């Protein structure tokens, strides 16, 4: 089954404790992206990747890092999480030959 | 910056009725897409309409696009309780370059009452 998976689905952590949210897709998509969703602000892009070892900033990259060492994986790293990073995070992917994006189930992160 | 705006913000209808949601955007686009999100879950692609198309159908969904008014509408006919969800429009801008970023509206929350 074609899918995007994210782990963990829920995470409660404390300020400053490094964390990684994993994202994996099995569709051989070149393009992957991270969004955060906040009430009243909608979905905003954090980082994206056009292919392996090619990443770039989206609209709200501050406080986040990503890597793309393999085509299927695109982890999101918060080196020192802060409460303003409490949000619902989505990973998405699509083929460069198509415009439809496939989304993971989301990771709800709470930073206290 | 977000450029899509959905209208209305919330809609409550009875099962069997039609639901219409509208979306406006600000810049020139390649295409406009509609997605559905069940509460707290991932987004699911519903339908895509390209800038040179005016209307598209998929099952009970009908999408229109008016590029002169920079607006789109999504019609769900014969609604069902299972259609209860938030619906988002997303645009892929002409000037996005290699970034396939979608620019999202804030969504319409649809409640279909049995």
């Amino acid at each position: 089954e074609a899918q995007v998976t994210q782990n963990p689905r829920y995470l409660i952590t404390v300020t400053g404790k490094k964390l990684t949210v994993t994202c994996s897709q099995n569709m051989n998509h070149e393009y992957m992206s991270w969004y955060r969703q906040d009430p009243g602000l909608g979905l905003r892009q954090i980082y994206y990747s056009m292919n392996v070892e090619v990443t770039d900033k989206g609209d709200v990259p501050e406080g986040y890092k990503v890597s793309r060492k393999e085509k299927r994986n695109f982890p999101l790293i918060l080196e020192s999480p802060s409460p303003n990073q409490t949000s619902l995070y989505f990973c998405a992917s699509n083929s460069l030959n198509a415009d439809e994006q496939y989304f993971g189930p989301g990771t709800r992160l709470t930073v206290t | 910056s977000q450029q899509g705006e959905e209208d209305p913000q919330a809609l409550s209808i009875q099962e069997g009725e039609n639901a219409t949601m509208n979306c406006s955007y600000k810049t020139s686009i390649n295409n406009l897409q509609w997605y559905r999100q069940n509460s707290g879950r991932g987004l699911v692609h519903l339908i895509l309409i390209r800038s040179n198309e005016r209307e598209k159908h998929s099952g009970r969904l009908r999408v229109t696009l008016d590029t002169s008014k920079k607006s789109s509408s999504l019609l769900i006919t014969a609604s069902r309780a299972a259609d209860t969800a938030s619906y988002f429009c997303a645009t892929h801008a002409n000037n996005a370059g290699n970034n396939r970023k979608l620019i999202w509206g804030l969504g319409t929350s649809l409640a279909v009452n049995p």
Side-chain angles (χ1 to χ4, degrees):
Chain A
E1 179 191 353
Q3 60 180 351
V4 179
T5 56
Q6 292 179 229
N7 282 292
R9 295 288 314 281
Y10 303 91
L11 180 59
I12 301 174
T13 189
V14 296
T15 298
K17 186 176 180 182
K18 181 180 178 180
L19 66 92
T20 299
V21 183
T22 64
C23 171
S24 184
Q25 50 92 6
N26 63 0
M27 295 166 280
N28 201 36
H29 286 165
E30 297 87 358
Y31 182 89
M32 298 185 75
S33 179
W34 276 102
Y35 294 91
R36 61 177 289 175
Q37 185 178 32
D38 301 287
L41 296 175
L43 283 100
R44 295 176 292 168
Q45 189 185 55
I46 303 170
Y47 268 93
Y48 68 96
S49 170
M50 298 295 297
N51 215 322
V52 175
E53 301 292 2
V54 182
T55 63
D56 207 345
K57 297 177 181 178
D59 296 319
V60 288
E62 294 77 21
Y64 304 94
K65 286 174 55 177
V66 292
S67 69
R68 188 89 182 272
K69 292 183 170 57
E70 303 165 286
K71 197 171 186 179
R72 63 184 293 124
N73 296 323
F74 189 45
L76 179 69
I77 303 154
L78 285 74
E79 294 271 3
S80 183
S82 62
N84 65 11
Q85 292 178 299
T86 292
S87 187
L88 181 57
Y89 291 87
F90 290 102
C91 180
S93 74
N94 67 277
S95 165
L96 291 182
N97 296 323
D99 292 308
E100 171 189 349
Q101 290 196 0
Y102 292 79
F103 281 79
T107 295
R108 187 167 293 279
L109 171 66
T110 302
V111 184
T112 61
Chain B
S1 62
Q2 299 301 315
Q3 72 164 6
E5 293 183 7
E6 283 93 341
D7 167 52
Q9 288 187 332
L11 182 59
S12 181
I13 60 175
Q14 295 300 121
E15 215 166 16
E17 293 180 340
N18 295 341
T20 299
M21 290 159 264
N22 303 298
C23 168
S24 61
Y25 57 92
K26 295 178 183 173
T27 62
S28 179
I29 62 171
N30 283 322
N31 64 69
L32 185 144
Q33 304 176 40
W34 286 90
Y35 287 77
R36 183 185 73 208
Q37 183 181 31
N38 290 87
S39 180
R41 306 286 295 273
L43 290 97
V44 175
H45 182 267
L46 295 176
I47 194 166
L48 179 152
I49 187 165
R50 301 201 179 280
S51 59
N52 61 353
E53 297 176 310
R54 292 295 167 259
E55 186 171 317
K56 203 161 183 180
H57 297 255
S58 176
R60 294 185 295 114
L61 305 180
R62 172 179 169 252
V63 171
T64 62
L65 179 65
D66 187 335
T67 53
S68 67
K69 294 182 180 177
K70 291 187 167 59
S71 68
S72 172
S73 67
L74 172 68
L75 168 67
I76 304 174
T77 60
S79 64
R80 306 166 182 168
D83 294 328
T84 295
S86 291
Y87 291 82
F88 294 86
C89 70
T91 53
H92 182 218
N94 273 339
N95 61 356
N98 286 328
N99 188 358
R100 307 305 289 274
K101 176 179 74 173
L102 294 175
I103 300 174
W104 297 83
L106 297 181
T108 292
S109 178
L110 173 65
V112 180
N113 304 305

